Amino acid sequence: MATTTHYFFAVRLPDSVKQIIHDQMMKTTSTFRFKRWVHREDYHITLAFLGSVGEEQLSSVIQLVGESLKGGAGFQLQIKSLDIFGNKQSPRIFWAGVSKERRLYDLQKTVYRQCIEAGFTLESRPYHPHITLARKWAAEDEFTSVLLERYNPFLENPLSFQVNEVVLYKTNLDQEPKYEPVASFPLK
């Protein structure tokens, strides 16, 4: 069975920030017992998920997004929180949350609009920026949300970083890390 390649636009995290996140999270694996931890090279903040893409449409969206981001300014973000998606007792996604920064939402809207212009049908739910850390609760006992604050290394020491690049990634499900950069769009 052939796997379909998917593409998505995301904020690339600096390598030093990825390493800090990874190091902090590996200290918590006995508390946060998830089945699959995301490879540190795959940490990112999704802006728009495209799904499978034809070559012509891929070329078009790269051009449109590139033009719309020319001269765009970088900005600061902070990683502050930990949270989950899915069932509260057996979550499917464990993630880190970033500060509410208007410029991140503006960046996402810009990329989203260009993807729509290129003919994509995108997710219509409100944008919820996050960094996926792990998937699928694996412990026999139920997850408890008290852990999210008690074992959050970023609660008292938020991790700050500069957003200075948007990347179009391609998903390679049979590799690790899974996400391969296809195009890069620097911010000043």
Side-chain angles (χ1 to χ4, degrees):
M1 183 174 124
T3 58
T4 303
T5 301
H6 292 127
Y7 294 84
F8 63 94
F9 285 98
V11 167
R12 183 194 301 255
L13 303 181
D15 289 340
S16 59
V17 170
K18 291 178 186 180
Q19 189 63 53
I20 292 168
I21 295 169
H22 175 76
D23 292 347
Q24 292 296 329
M25 290 300 97
M26 291 304 99
K27 293 177 188 175
T28 68
T29 58
S30 62
T31 301
F32 295 116
R33 292 175 294 184
F34 285 87
K35 187 178 274 187
R36 291 186 313 276
W37 286 85
V38 172
H39 190 285
R40 75 175 163 269
E41 292 303 316
D42 286 339
Y43 294 148
H44 66 274
I45 302 170
T46 301
L47 298 170
F49 180 76
L50 304 179
S52 59
V53 181
E55 284 300 316
E56 191 174 306
Q57 196 176 27
L58 186 62
S59 177
S60 174
V61 78
I62 288 171
Q63 183 177 352
L64 287 168
V65 169
E67 286 297 318
S68 71
L69 296 181
K70 269 189 185 159
F75 53 90
Q76 285 284 123
L77 275 183
Q78 286 188 329
I79 298 169
K80 292 182 164 186
S81 61
L82 298 176
D83 212 336
I84 57 169
F85 290 137
N87 184 302
K88 298 292 183 199
Q89 289 79 41
S90 182
R92 81 187 149 73
I93 303 289
F94 177 49
W95 53 271
V98 295
S99 51
K100 293 197 183 310
E101 171 56 57
R102 179 191 53 77
R103 289 173 291 183
L104 175 61
Y105 288 83
D106 291 347
L107 177 63
Q108 188 272 339
K109 284 179 190 161
T110 298
V111 171
Y112 188 95
R113 277 194 304 267
Q114 298 311 311
C115 293
I116 296 293
E117 179 73 23
F120 289 93
T121 302
L122 302 180
E123 176 68 50
S124 60
R125 288 184 290 186
Y127 182 56
H128 191 95
H130 64 279
I131 302 161
T132 300
L133 303 170
R135 291 180 173 83
K136 199 163 187 210
W137 182 247
E140 288 185 24
D141 51 330
E142 292 183 348
F143 180 86
T144 176
S145 61
V146 169
L147 301 174
L148 295 169
E149 267 194 47
R150 186 178 297 156
Y151 296 98
N152 179 357
F154 311 115
L155 190 61
E156 291 186 20
N157 297 304
L159 181 55
S160 295
F161 64 97
Q162 178 74 14
V163 172
N164 57 18
E165 186 179 18
V166 171
V167 174
L168 174 64
Y169 287 103
K170 170 175 127 173
T171 303
N172 298 303
L173 293 176
D174 57 346
Q175 295 177 17
E176 195 158 27
K178 290 182 182 181
Y179 306 135
E180 176 185 341
V182 172
S184 176
F185 310 91
L187 303 173
K188 294 181 181 182

